[in-house]
Amino acid sequence: MAAGTSGEYDFDLFTIGAGSGGVRASRVAAAHGAKVAVAEEHRVGGTCVIRGCVPKKMLVYGAHFAEDLKDARNFGWSTENATFDWITLRDNVLKDVERIEGAYTNTLESHEVTIFKERAEITGPHEITLASGKVVTAKTILIATGARPRMPECQGAEHAISSNEAFHLDELPKKIIIAGGGYIANEFAGIFNEFGSEVHIVNRGDRLLRSYDEAVRDRLLQISTMKGIKFRFNTTFEYIKPCDEGGYFVKMSDCDEEKADLVLFAVGRIPNTEGLGLENAGVELGEGGEVKVDRFSKTNVDHIYAVGDVTDRVQLTPVAIREGQAFADSVFGEGDPVAVDHSCIPSAVFSHPPIAAVGLTEGEAKNQLGSVKVYLSDFRPMKNVLAGRNERSLIKMICDGDSGRIVGIHMIAPEAPEMMQAAAIAVKAGLTKEDFDATTAIHPTMAEELVLMR
């Protein structure tokens, strides 16, 4: 579509939601010459910037110092008088979040994107009504409203917090119960444990991190248990009741009532599609409330698109950004339509230590390929040896048994996500085990294990 030709409409593009996907789509569409508006009822930046990956990683950095300060003693450093102040970290993190929010806002404004800081609802095929009552029209509408934490239905569930509130606590809990077995539950378990809280993870299933390879899942469970995190599987919440002297009485299906200072639910995320007026435009939703789209992010309505978590394809920030870019280039650019390839996407869990993965797990590879070869490196990082930390890392490589093509890499190790970003390029490009073997190692590093596995 040639940009700027929709004179009968107020805007060429109206984006609902200014998270990672919506901001990228809006900025790129505007750069192509489209007249663009964005509506955001909360804060520009969305989940990732405001209450997700960015502040979470800052807390992870802060938590790492607990181990680093202990380990430093064997490296000759005296750290006996080191103390930790949660409020200092909390406020510094929130301050940086404000800075990034400002940068996102400036990016939109510098591209002359109109920002409406209020809720928007679709009230006709091309019509959007804002919370203030203002009505605007747009030739193309993009839904980029993301997702929110799922809060289970149990008695007293309103007394629990989600990951959203974890960044704003006035004090650290002495004891916290975290419900869930996914990456958010394990990341916050690691963070609170390093800050000195007693941490219990409660999961209704029988395993952690279901989508990750069994070997790294088991290793995380082993290390987390060694660090003092307590796990309970196959159990559900019956009630949460406030206690007169503070904290909560918590009853679960497999044990007696116990007391905790805080309960955090991290049991999945729900697409934000309620109250958007999608039914007014005839947009089709899936069983989980997600917006159904084709490979070009188009809904069943020709001029309405959706990107990011609200589509529940792959709930990762870089994927939302790619989808936003592809949408803007396809609809407002001069070239052919662009579809995002959702295969072989690398991911990470910022646990202690972190996990990183790309491609197929061993089980998936056996199911899909039949013949597979698995290479494993199980080692104790040099820093851990000198620190006296009995914590082993694991790198696992899965190859097609016939061609030698690497179809999956899985690791749990310090800085695993940093190593994986480069390794993921090789897997995406279809390189073989021979290609890795032919690469000279950088010694001494953990990453050299990738090219030394036999």
Side-chain angles (χ1 to χ4, degrees):
M1 177 190 108
T5 58
S6 53
E8 61 189 293
Y9 301 105
D10 298 320
F11 298 99
D12 297 307
L13 170 65
F14 195 102
T15 301
I16 304 179
S20 298
V23 167
R24 174 60 66 90
S26 301
R27 176 177 70 75
V28 174
H32 283 308
K35 186 180 180 185
V36 181
V38 178
E40 173 55 61
E41 65 175 334
H42 294 305
R43 296 170 67 182
V44 173
T47 294
C48 177
V49 168
I50 306 300
R51 53 193 171 272
C53 342
V54 171
K56 179 269 306 288
K57 186 72 182 287
M58 292 177 190
L59 293 187
V60 168
Y61 282 135
H64 266 300
F65 282 105
E67 292 186 355
D68 289 343
L69 287 165
K70 270 186 204 161
D71 294 350
R73 294 166 195 168
N74 278 10
F75 289 85
W77 290 92
S78 176
T79 61
E80 281 72 19
N81 296 322
T83 60
F84 172 67
D85 181 61
W86 159 251
I87 299 300
T88 298
L89 175 61
R90 182 199 69 180
D91 290 353
N92 284 340
V93 168
L94 295 178
K95 192 191 306 178
D96 207 53
V97 165
E98 280 186 25
R99 178 189 63 80
I100 302 170
E101 180 189 8
Y104 267 63
T105 303
N106 290 341
T107 295
L108 291 173
E109 289 175 343
S110 67
H111 284 81
E112 298 183 344
V113 174
T114 302
I115 303 173
F116 294 105
K117 293 189 174 177
E118 54 186 311
R119 187 171 178 83
E121 182 180 344
I122 298 171
T123 47
H126 293 269
E127 183 184 271
I128 300 100
T129 300
L130 298 161
S132 59
K134 183 179 175 65
V135 178
V136 297
T137 58
K139 183 167 187 181
T140 302
I141 297 171
L142 176 67
I143 310 300
T145 47
R148 67 183 183 279
R150 181 188 302 278
M151 299 301 283
E153 292 178 7
C154 78
Q155 184 186 339
E158 68 275 11
H159 300 300
I161 67 166
S162 72
S163 55
N164 290 353
E165 293 78 41
F167 301 105
H168 300 272
L169 299 176
D170 289 328
E171 60 182 353
L172 289 172
K174 290 183 178 66
K175 176 180 174 181
I176 181 170
I177 297 175
I178 300 176
Y183 74 96
I184 296 173
N186 282 279
E187 287 171 344
F188 275 107
I191 289 166
F192 283 112
N193 180 65
E194 296 297 341
F195 289 153
S197 300
E198 179 187 336
V199 178
H200 296 245
I201 285 188
V202 174
N203 191 19
R204 66 179 180 179
D206 60 358
R207 67 185 70 178
L208 303 175
L209 300 167
R210 282 173 304 179
S211 63
Y212 285 85
D213 193 87
E214 189 173 3
V216 295
R217 285 195 272 118
D218 288 349
R219 181 61 54 89
L220 179 64
L221 179 60
Q222 175 194 346
I223 293 173
S224 296
T225 301
M226 199 166 63
K227 289 178 188 291
I229 297 173
K230 297 173 175 60
F231 292 87
R232 277 179 271 180
F233 296 99
N234 299 308
T235 185
T236 55
F237 281 75
E238 291 186 4
Y239 62 74
I240 304 167
K241 292 178 181 175
C243 177
D244 289 342
E245 63 266 25
Y248 303 94
F249 291 118
V250 182
K251 174 73 174 73
M252 278 163 283
S253 56
D254 67 340
C255 58
D256 295 334
E257 181 183 85
E258 62 188 286
K259 194 162 179 293
D261 298 290
L262 197 62
V263 179
L264 187 156
F265 281 126
V267 290
R269 295 177 63 79
I270 306 171
N272 285 321
T273 48
E274 298 91 343
L276 290 178
L278 296 175
E279 65 283 355
N280 297 327
V283 174
E284 190 178 343
L285 302 180
E287 288 181 12
E290 74 278 10
V291 179
K292 295 178 74 171
V293 292
D294 65 13
R295 54 200 279 283
F296 298 105
S297 295
K298 184 160 71 171
T299 70
N300 60 307
V301 180
D302 269 352
H303 65 280
I304 300 179
Y305 294 74
V307 297
D309 290 1
V310 76
T311 68
D312 201 19
R313 286 176 284 185
V314 179
Q315 291 200 7
L316 292 171
T317 296
V319 175
I321 290 170
R322 280 182 169 251
E323 290 169 358
Q325 177 87 40
F327 153 77
D329 287 340
S330 298
V331 177
F332 298 100
E334 300 297 327
D336 293 331
V338 183
V340 173
D341 178 5
H342 288 95
S343 67
C344 207
I345 293 171
S347 65
V349 182
F350 291 99
S351 45
H352 285 74
I355 288 172
V358 68
L360 303 177
T361 65
E362 182 179 348
E364 289 168 342
K366 285 176 176 174
N367 288 338
Q368 291 183 31
L369 303 173
S371 170
V372 300
K373 283 187 179 175
V374 178
Y375 301 87
L376 200 66
S377 178
D378 189 335
F379 61 98
R380 195 175 171 203
M382 181 188 291
K383 183 184 172 189
N384 285 357
V385 173
L386 193 57
R389 182 172 291 280
N390 186 23
E391 194 174 295
R392 297 182 68 82
S393 295
L394 187 73
I395 298 180
K396 185 173 183 180
M397 180 181 286
I398 295 136
C399 303
D400 183 321
D402 298 327
S403 67
R405 181 171 63 89
I406 301 168
V407 296
I409 298 177
H410 309 271
M411 58 176 83
I412 177 168
E415 306 301 337
E418 303 291 345
M419 290 189 273
M420 184 57 77
Q421 183 65 80
I425 299 168
V427 178
K428 183 73 173 172
L431 299 191
T432 64
K433 178 71 167 62
E434 281 187 356
D435 293 319
F436 271 54
D437 293 344
T439 305
T440 303
I442 301 172
H443 182 72
T445 64
M446 286 181 289
E448 69 180 306
E449 298 295 329
L450 284 164
V451 300
L452 296 177
M453 284 192 266
R454 294 288 180 266

